[in-house]
Amino acid sequence: MPSLFFCILLLGLRVTESQASGLAPPQQVRLDADKETQTLSVTWEDGHASTFDVEILRTELMEMVLNETVGVTEDQSTGKHQWNWTSPVPLECTSLSVKVRSRDGQDVSEWSSQQILPGLDLPDNTDSQMYPEGKTVPVGSNMTFCCIVEEGQQFGSLWYKDTLVKENMLSRRTYATTMTNQGPSNPSGTNVVCSNEKKMIIAGAVVFVGYPPLPSDLVCETHDLTSVDCQWSKGRDTYLFGMTRQTYYTLNGRNCPKARNSNMRCGLEQWDGNWTLVARNLLGEFRLTDAAELGHRVRPVAPVNLTTPEVYSWNASVGWLWKDKGFERLSLICQVQRTSHLNSSTQTYTGYGLNTVVLKDLQPDEKYSVKVRCGSQKNFWKWGEWSLPLSFQTKMDRSVAPDIWLWMDSDNLGRVLWKPLTKSESHGQISGYEVILWSPEENSQQTLTLPQSVYSLPINVTDLGSKVTVTVTARNPAGVSLPANVVIPRYLPDAEDTAISKVAFNGSGFPLSWVAHANASCGYVVDWYNTSCTQDCNVEWTRVAADNTNTMVQSGNFFAGVRYTFSLYACSSESTVLLERWHGYMQELVPSRTVLRLSPNQEGADVQLTWDQIPLEHQRGFILGYTVYLTNASHLTLLANITDPQLTNHTVRNLVLGSYKFTVKAYTAAGEDGGATVSISLEPYTYWLIMEILVALGTMTCLLIVITIACYRKRKWVKKAFYPEIPEPKLPGDWGITQGTLDVKPSPHSMVHIVEDSVWDSSKEALVTVPEEDEEGTGDEAADTDEPASLRYYNQVVEEGSSSQRRPHASDSSASSTGSMDSGHTDVTYTGIQTSACSLAPMAHFQPQPDASQCVGGGGYRPQMQSASCPEEPQTGPEEHLQPPVGSFGGYQPQCSWKQDSPEADGDGLDQTCLGSPTSVTSSQFLLPYDTSEEGKEHPSSASTWFHNLLTGKP
Amino acid sequence: MAGTRTRRVAGSEQSRTARAAALAEELHHECTLLLELYRKKETFAEELTVGGERLVTVPPLSSQLSPNDRLWRLYSALQQCRNLLERAIGLEEGVGNGGDRAQYESQRKTVRDRLGHLLASTRLLLEDRAGTAAFTPDPKNTETASPVNGSPFALKLWIYRIFSELEHWTLTTSRTLKALHPDGATPKESRTRGRPRGRRTRR
């Protein structure tokens, strides 16, 4: 009872609400699904409003999918409202519940009864499924895929291609994933796979992601002046393949079944003038149009049946046929392409219904292949297809004149050279050559025939005069070629007459330029060869036109490190003149060997290094100079950089004694060679020692001269200091001699003779002065001559005490002869000795001339050991002589008195060892003032007298 | 004489069995490669496996069966594999052949050719055992399943399963033939002889 009451109450409330809003809820709501497009169509009746609220939920989980107010007008014809909704999720995925209510501003009606669109996840549909399957969508689109798991299985995961993706649960069995901005598929589509918990594939779908067709460039033309052939570009790849997804084409509504892959063309039987191409696939279609007159789109088919009616050496004619007669009445332009082993060229011909052309400038004895294509001369559109090729061979002709040159090894010997004729020059197989040497001066001619394989001929022009012309001709089956002439040039080796300059390789060749030469009527010739080559050299040459003054010498035979000589000749019919020469390297390298014969030469403290230049073939570059190093272990110290390549020596200066190792390297632009090394050990310089001695001697000599001069100039002082005036001897009696200055005039001739024991007698124990006059006779004879008396001394020991027992002739010199006492067995004869005045006293005695007076005048001084009485009694007996006038020497004693330490003095006493005056000839001892008590013991020497005279300036 | 002839025949059969085993082993290797190429071509994830019922159905190869019966069942299974492969190739052509599929198609052709050789070898073994008169024509299995709904994915999955069946049955054949061989293993000389023969045929 209470429940019944409650129901009635609720019903009453609802009626009250409806009556309150005044809006009737939509009736007969109906759902229609287009699963392919995922579109849900909702229709209802009795809704008088124009605005409705629509609510869509997933039935199973009651999740809101859509709650939207939409404006829907009533279809007047049916009286129904229809609203379409496109679901982002395939409609098969799960059931949807839809209800609608009318809305008028804020007033709303009651909801309509809920309508359910059943999904495929209902229990009675137990299989695993995946949606959408096999759909084709444009690139970049978003899609939601759902997997309905088989009843009783456990969902595992979703995979897009081979990538695991995140899923979203839509119902008990349905899981979905949304892929955004999809990229193009592979040809078999993109897989979306659903797996169970065991990672076993239970369902899947394929989506084809691609593009709609986008063809371009539709062009239609005719090949036969009747039908039409249209072509276009495929354009962007659609990424869609297979019978259902590929692109289909129609031309003016007709299918184009042959338009596949890249062959985008379609034909029609008749010329329409306007064409429309439609390209279509599942994602859309695209249209292209074209329009043209027939005469503007002629592209002829290829000519057929090519023939060569006439073939000659230098030209030939080619003919062909047209399959379609229409071309015989059409003005045509045709291209003929001819191909030989040399090259390929195309020539163009025009003509009305053209079907024959003449090919010119062909090469004799040459195989040609020709093909032809044509187009419409008027309103030219495109060239037609090439015809099939036709081959033919031209006839032979005489060859061209050989390119000849002369290479002279000397004035009369050389070689004639010519280049092998190429196929394009020979015009047929060459059978041989003919060489003619002729001299207009001598009016002689030599002719030689050579086989085809010979390209040079040694010549000797000794007997042909100075101007010889060489002519070479080539022979082939067609005849003899034109002659090639050259006048033999004068032989000019390097460094003769012509300046040689350097030329550098610029990467492609040697650029040569020169001043134009007046006598080059037939141009110039540049030849080149390996400079190191001396015999049978490989000579190449090139010819330059007369109006050209430069060329680029190129050859495949240039090698790095090889010097080439380039010679420029001016060529005329009269002569061949060498104009200029160059040397050049394709690439300079470092020398391949070192300098030759490197040798050191010591010059005092200097070392001069000399070497020879590197041979030309080993230079491998222009030698720029030499570097000299001091080698210390492996370290090189640069001593000098010689930049003159002609200089082949260098002097290293101021070296101290020791061993040195020098390295000399030649260098080119590429660098230095390995270096030649030489060692030297510096030794003391003997000449230097000699030089030092000579200098010392010279110095001493100069010193002595200076002293002598000084002494001479200061002789008075010296005399005073060392040789004062000897006081007047105090004689016991009056000598009656005039007191005066003692003038001693040395005898002009003083001779000393060494006599071999002539008067030696064992009985003689002392030197005895034997005046010559004694032997010759009397003293009168001596008085008659001016010759100085020769004194003869005999070896004797002078003893003061025993002197009285001597011969009466024992003169005053006897005592002085004791200077020779050591040479006891040698008789020494002194001749020409400038005896003192006293020693000549006996002579003076016989010759009482001024000399005698002088002697007397010198009475103040007596030679040592001379008796003071000699002036008085020169011929007196020994008794008188042997009485020494002690104290009569003016207070002087001979230097012998200084020798008190001598051994002789020890034995015999000072008196016995006192030396005689003659010893003083070589003695520098001065006579010193003597104590008066000892005066009688010594006699002044004659040398002292001479010295005295010197000091006093007397003669 | 009869005994000698029997031994000679037995020796020949053993050699053929060994050659067939070697061919089956080689074919199994080719099928494995084909399956891998197909998986990569269709971008099936490596972790996923193909489920569902077997496409090739023969009675179980029980060890209780005689060698002849086991050979018969193997022969039948291989026949079904070949029929399935031929159908798969035909259907796959219709899907489209864009892209770079040269290696895959070459491998597919290799498998088809060698499968034919294996069938011929197996047939010879059956003839040795049962005699020519007892041999029946090729069992045409008309019940081979095919994708019914024309779904592209179903076709792909079906082909994938066919290749899996091929891989399975060539392995089974290889093992069975090895088991039938007295040595239980393929002699080396048989292996070396089997390979060039297949290549010659391919040419």
Side-chain angles (χ1 to χ4, degrees):
Chain A
M1 191 66 184
S3 60
L4 179 63
F5 175 75
F6 184 72
C7 288
I8 293 169
L9 182 62
L10 282 177
L11 185 62
L13 283 172
R14 286 181 62 102
V15 169
T16 307
E17 281 180 6
S18 300
Q19 287 172 345
S21 66
L23 289 174
Q27 302 295 321
Q28 298 180 3
V29 175
R30 183 180 154 193
L31 302 178
D32 292 302
D34 181 353
K35 293 179 179 176
E36 183 63 30
T37 59
Q38 298 180 188
T39 304
L40 179 65
S41 174
V42 185
T43 56
W44 63 90
E45 296 178 358
D46 295 341
H48 299 291
S50 58
T51 305
F52 300 89
D53 290 340
V54 181
E55 192 176 87
I56 302 175
L57 300 94
R58 296 197 183 98
T59 306
E60 195 170 314
L61 300 180
M62 292 305 286
E63 288 176 341
M64 184 70 73
V65 176
L66 180 78
N67 184 4
E68 199 172 285
T69 299
V70 298
V72 180
T73 56
E74 184 181 15
D75 186 342
Q76 297 299 324
S77 61
T78 60
K80 293 181 179 178
H81 294 84
Q82 183 177 5
W83 176 75
N84 293 331
W85 172 66
T86 301
S87 170
V89 177
L91 297 177
E92 298 94 335
C93 294
T94 188
S95 302
L96 296 174
S97 296
V98 179
K99 56 185 179 182
V100 184
R101 70 180 177 186
S102 305
R103 172 177 287 276
D104 183 9
Q106 294 299 319
D107 294 337
V108 292
S109 71
E110 290 184 6
W111 287 103
S112 66
S113 60
Q114 186 169 270
Q115 297 297 313
I116 295 175
L117 176 69
L120 296 179
D121 58 343
L122 296 176
D124 56 346
N125 196 355
T126 59
D127 291 344
S128 296
Q129 304 147 72
M130 190 138 192
Y131 298 99
E133 164 63 331
K135 203 168 182 179
T136 303
V137 296
V139 172
S141 55
N142 303 330
M143 281 184 76
T144 299
F145 300 91
C146 69
C147 172
I148 302 170
V149 182
E150 184 181 344
E151 193 71 54
Q153 277 201 351
Q154 189 77 29
F155 173 78
S157 54
L158 283 173
W159 302 75
Y160 188 83
K161 295 183 180 176
D162 53 356
T163 305
L164 187 66
V165 293
K166 192 175 180 181
E167 78 281 359
N168 180 29
M169 187 175 179
L170 300 183
S171 72
R172 180 178 60 88
R173 290 172 54 201
T174 303
Y175 296 84
T177 185
T178 300
M179 303 307 301
T180 59
N181 193 23
Q182 296 180 95
S185 301
N186 59 26
S188 61
T190 302
N191 296 335
V192 187
V193 178
C194 179
S195 67
N196 61 16
E197 79 280 10
K198 297 174 184 174
K199 293 196 172 177
M200 181 187 293
I201 297 173
I202 54 174
V206 177
V207 60
F208 298 91
V209 186
Y211 292 102
L214 191 63
S216 61
D217 305 328
L218 174 67
V219 173
C220 297
E221 61 192 14
T222 181
H223 303 302
D224 54 6
L225 304 177
T226 304
S227 64
V228 63
D229 178 30
C230 296
Q231 297 183 48
W232 63 92
S233 298
K234 185 180 178 181
R236 180 183 60 191
D237 192 353
T238 63
Y239 295 97
L240 301 175
F241 302 90
M243 298 295 288
T244 56
R245 285 172 292 278
Q246 70 179 14
T247 303
Y248 290 93
Y249 298 92
T250 59
L251 182 65
N252 284 359
R254 297 186 181 185
N255 288 332
C256 300
K258 294 181 181 176
R260 291 278 182 86
N261 302 324
S262 58
N263 182 32
M264 296 290 111
R265 63 194 305 168
C266 190
L268 298 174
E269 292 297 322
Q270 293 296 324
W271 185 269
D272 290 342
N274 292 294
W275 304 275
T276 300
L277 176 76
V278 178
R280 187 181 292 117
N281 71 6
L282 292 179
L283 296 178
E285 67 174 34
F286 195 85
R287 288 174 177 266
L288 286 174
T289 60
D290 187 27
E293 294 180 18
L294 187 143
H296 295 179
R297 297 288 177 88
V298 178
R299 186 182 182 190
V301 292
V304 295
N305 294 345
L306 265 64
T307 57
T308 51
E310 294 173 329
V311 177
Y312 304 102
S313 296
W314 300 92
N315 56 60
S317 60
V318 176
W320 61 87
L321 298 176
W322 291 106
K323 280 196 295 186
D324 301 296
K325 298 295 181 187
F327 290 107
E328 295 176 358
R329 300 183 298 275
L330 189 68
S331 180
L332 293 170
I333 179 169
C334 295
Q335 281 187 326
V336 180
Q337 185 187 65
R338 63 188 189 199
T339 306
S340 67
H341 85 283
L342 294 171
N343 55 22
S344 179
S345 64
T346 303
Q347 289 174 306
T348 304
Y349 304 85
T350 57
Y352 193 77
L354 190 66
N355 58 9
T356 302
V357 296
V358 175
L359 305 177
K360 296 178 180 176
D361 301 327
L362 300 179
Q363 282 291 317
D365 193 35
E366 183 67 51
K367 288 180 181 175
Y368 285 95
S369 172
V370 294
K371 57 184 182 180
V372 183
R373 69 178 181 181
C374 298
S376 173
Q377 189 178 12
K378 187 180 178 186
N379 301 317
F380 178 83
W381 166 239
K382 286 179 181 176
W383 289 111
E385 297 293 323
W386 285 107
S387 69
L388 293 174
L390 170 71
S391 297
F392 65 93
Q393 183 168 2
T394 53
K395 294 179 179 175
M396 287 188 282
D397 194 9
R398 297 191 303 169
S399 74
V400 300
D403 184 1
I404 70 168
W405 185 234
L406 284 159
W407 171 249
M408 297 305 291
D409 295 327
S410 63
D411 287 335
N412 295 318
L413 299 176
R415 282 184 295 150
V416 182
L417 309 165
W418 58 94
K419 293 178 181 176
L421 293 170
T422 62
K423 181 167 175 56
S424 60
E425 294 169 337
S426 61
H427 302 164
Q429 181 64 42
I430 297 294
S431 56
Y433 297 94
E434 190 173 79
V435 181
I436 301 170
L437 280 73
W438 61 282
S439 170
E441 296 171 353
E442 303 293 328
N443 196 21
S444 62
Q445 178 173 319
Q446 295 177 6
T447 303
L448 288 163
T449 302
L450 300 167
Q452 61 192 29
S453 57
V454 175
Y455 304 112
S456 69
L457 176 69
I459 57 170
N460 186 344
V461 295
T462 305
D463 302 327
L464 292 175
S466 59
K467 183 184 174 186
V468 179
T469 302
V470 178
T471 301
V472 179
T473 54
R475 178 183 294 277
N476 70 3
V480 179
S481 72
L482 293 172
N485 300 311
V486 65
V487 179
I488 294 179
R490 192 162 68 89
Y491 170 66
L492 284 173
D494 270 1
E496 272 191 26
D497 298 346
T498 308
I500 299 175
S501 48
K502 293 179 182 178
V503 59
F505 189 80
N506 68 356
S508 59
F510 290 93
L512 304 179
S513 59
W514 57 90
V515 178
H517 191 263
N519 194 16
S521 57
C522 57
Y524 301 93
V525 174
V526 177
D527 73 4
W528 63 93
Y529 56 92
N530 182 347
T531 310
S532 307
C533 179
T534 55
Q535 200 167 9
D536 293 334
C537 305
N538 178 31
V539 182
E540 295 182 71
W541 68 93
T542 185
R543 293 186 178 276
V544 182
D547 55 348
N548 247 348
T549 56
N550 61 74
T551 187
M552 178 74 75
V553 177
Q554 294 173 315
S555 172
N557 297 325
F558 286 135
F559 298 101
V562 176
R563 181 183 290 187
Y564 294 96
T565 300
F566 301 89
S567 306
L568 171 70
Y569 295 87
C571 172
S572 69
S573 58
E574 298 299 319
S575 63
T576 304
V577 182
L578 174 66
L579 299 180
E580 203 167 346
R581 273 204 171 128
W582 295 266
H583 281 168
Y585 286 89
M586 190 186 87
Q587 183 190 353
E588 291 195 56
L589 304 175
V590 297
S592 62
R593 63 169 301 167
T594 60
V595 297
L596 302 176
R597 287 187 278 281
L598 173 63
S599 63
N601 185 24
Q602 181 181 353
E603 294 179 346
D606 303 339
V607 172
Q608 187 186 38
L609 299 171
T610 58
W611 60 89
D612 288 353
Q613 289 188 337
I614 298 173
L616 181 61
E617 63 270 26
H618 296 292
Q619 290 182 4
R620 306 205 299 174
F622 293 112
I623 299 292
L624 301 177
Y626 302 92
T627 47
V628 181
Y629 296 94
L630 176 63
T631 308
N632 187 3
S634 59
H635 179 69
L636 296 177
T637 304
L638 179 66
L639 296 178
N641 180 11
I642 302 166
T643 55
D644 180 5
Q646 303 303 322
L647 193 61
T648 56
N649 62 73
H650 176 71
T651 301
V652 185
R653 300 189 182 281
N654 300 325
L655 295 171
V656 296
L657 296 183
S659 294
Y660 295 93
K661 191 181 281 186
F662 299 100
T663 299
V664 176
K665 296 182 176 184
Y667 61 90
T668 67
E672 297 177 330
D673 63 30
T677 301
V678 68
S679 298
I680 185 171
S681 181
L682 289 188
E683 296 174 349
Y685 189 46
T686 52
Y687 292 120
W688 180 250
L689 190 59
I690 294 170
M691 186 64 73
E692 284 181 342
I693 292 170
L694 291 175
V695 168
L697 287 173
T699 306
M700 286 179 66
T701 304
C702 292
L703 190 60
L704 285 173
I705 291 169
V706 169
I707 290 170
T708 304
I709 293 172
C711 289
Y712 179 76
R713 285 181 179 274
K714 299 290 183 181
R715 56 189 178 275
K716 289 181 180 178
W717 176 82
V718 172
K719 180 173 178 289
K720 190 183 245 182
F722 299 103
Y723 206 77
E725 285 291 333
I726 299 170
E728 183 78 17
K730 294 174 180 178
L731 300 173
D734 186 8
W735 293 75
I737 299 172
T738 305
Q739 297 294 317
T741 304
L742 176 63
D743 292 327
V744 179
K745 183 178 181 182
S747 176
H749 305 290
S750 296
M751 304 292 287
V752 176
H753 295 281
I754 298 174
V755 181
E756 283 290 329
D757 220 5
S758 57
V759 287
W760 172 261
D761 189 346
S762 59
S763 62
K764 297 173 184 175
E765 295 191 5
L767 283 172
V768 178
T769 302
V770 183
E772 289 180 3
E773 55 269 34
D774 290 349
E775 295 176 355
E776 293 173 357
T778 63
D780 295 332
E781 296 174 25
D784 295 335
T785 178
D786 291 336
E787 289 294 320
S790 295
L791 300 181
R792 180 167 294 171
Y793 297 89
Y794 292 98
N795 198 11
Q796 70 174 37
V797 176
V798 178
E799 290 185 23
E800 197 173 312
S802 61
S803 60
S804 58
Q805 284 86 35
R806 303 302 176 194
R807 292 182 179 184
H809 288 290
S811 69
D812 56 336
S813 299
S814 61
S816 64
S817 66
T818 57
S820 302
M821 62 181 293
D822 293 336
S823 55
H825 296 287
T826 303
D827 289 341
V828 180
T829 300
Y830 294 89
T831 59
I833 290 177
Q834 295 175 340
T835 56
S836 66
C838 291
S839 66
L840 296 173
M843 294 164 65
H845 178 73
F846 293 113
Q847 295 175 335
Q849 273 85 20
D851 284 346
S853 65
Q854 284 173 4
C855 181
V856 173
Y861 175 78
R862 286 183 181 177
Q864 50 187 332
M865 302 303 291
Q866 187 178 11
S867 171
S869 61
C870 66
E872 296 174 349
E873 295 175 331
Q875 302 296 329
T876 58
E879 297 84 3
E880 295 171 4
H881 283 282
L882 295 173
Q883 290 177 1
V886 177
S888 64
F889 292 102
Y892 287 88
Q893 65 178 1
Q895 58 185 353
C896 60
S897 64
W898 295 73
K899 295 187 177 179
Q900 293 180 9
D901 297 334
S902 64
E904 293 81 357
D906 294 337
D908 298 324
L910 176 63
D911 295 338
Q912 293 175 332
T913 59
C914 189
L915 299 178
S917 179
T919 307
S920 298
V921 171
T922 56
S923 174
S924 61
Q925 293 177 356
F926 296 117
L927 293 173
L928 302 175
Y930 192 73
D931 189 359
T932 51
S933 61
E934 296 175 356
E935 279 180 348
K937 295 181 181 178
E938 298 295 334
H939 305 279
S941 70
S942 60
S944 299
T945 305
W946 175 83
F947 186 64
H948 170 78
N949 294 338
L950 174 69
L951 293 176
T952 54
K954 293 178 181 175
Chain B
M1 284 294 283
T4 307
R5 186 182 177 189
T6 306
R7 276 197 301 275
R8 194 175 296 160
V9 170
S12 174
E13 184 192 332
Q14 284 173 12
S15 176
R16 282 178 186 160
T17 305
R19 280 202 297 271
L23 186 57
E25 188 180 5
E26 180 65 26
L27 181 58
H28 172 248
H29 172 72
E30 302 288 358
C31 289
T32 306
L33 187 58
L34 177 64
L35 187 64
E36 181 65 13
L37 286 173
Y38 186 77
R39 188 191 65 73
K40 284 181 179 173
K41 180 177 85 75
E42 296 300 341
T43 61
F44 284 117
E46 215 169 339
E47 299 91 325
L48 300 180
T49 58
V50 184
E53 296 177 355
R54 302 214 71 90
L55 296 177
V56 174
T57 54
V58 291
L61 292 173
S62 167
S63 57
Q64 306 297 323
L65 291 173
S66 67
N68 201 43
D69 289 340
R70 287 159 70 186
L71 270 180
W72 265 111
R73 291 183 185 183
L74 277 175
Y75 183 76
S76 174
L78 291 173
Q79 277 283 4
Q80 291 179 54
C81 282
R82 186 170 72 171
N83 292 340
L84 286 168
L85 180 61
E86 295 290 351
R87 289 191 62 190
I89 290 171
L91 288 172
E92 201 173 20
E93 297 293 341
V95 174
N97 56 359
D100 182 17
R101 313 199 319 168
Q103 190 185 3
Y104 163 73
E105 288 180 354
S106 170
Q107 186 64 27
R108 193 176 62 182
K109 185 175 182 306
T110 301
V111 168
R112 184 167 72 170
D113 292 344
R114 290 199 172 165
L115 182 57
H117 289 303
L118 182 58
L119 278 168
S121 298
T122 312
R123 179 172 173 157
L124 282 174
L125 290 177
L126 287 171
E127 286 175 354
D128 285 344
R129 291 168 185 277
T132 309
F135 193 78
T136 56
D138 288 344
K140 296 289 184 187
N141 190 344
T142 55
E143 296 175 359
T144 47
S146 58
V148 287
N149 58 1
S151 147
F153 186 79
L155 177 62
K156 286 184 178 184
L157 198 58
W158 184 69
I159 294 171
Y160 200 9
R161 289 170 68 186
I162 289 172
F163 291 160
S164 298
E165 289 285 351
L166 270 169
E167 192 269 339
H168 168 75
W169 283 109
T170 50
L171 179 61
T172 305
T173 304
S174 171
R175 285 174 177 171
T176 304
L177 289 173
K178 283 179 183 175
L180 289 176
H181 192 267
D183 296 340
T186 305
K188 275 188 176 177
E189 56 186 11
S190 302
R191 282 179 59 91
T192 53
R193 250 182 257 155
R195 291 180 66 107
R197 202 175 157 192
R199 282 177 187 164
R200 262 202 310 276
T201 309
R202 226 193 307 172
R203 283 189 215 114

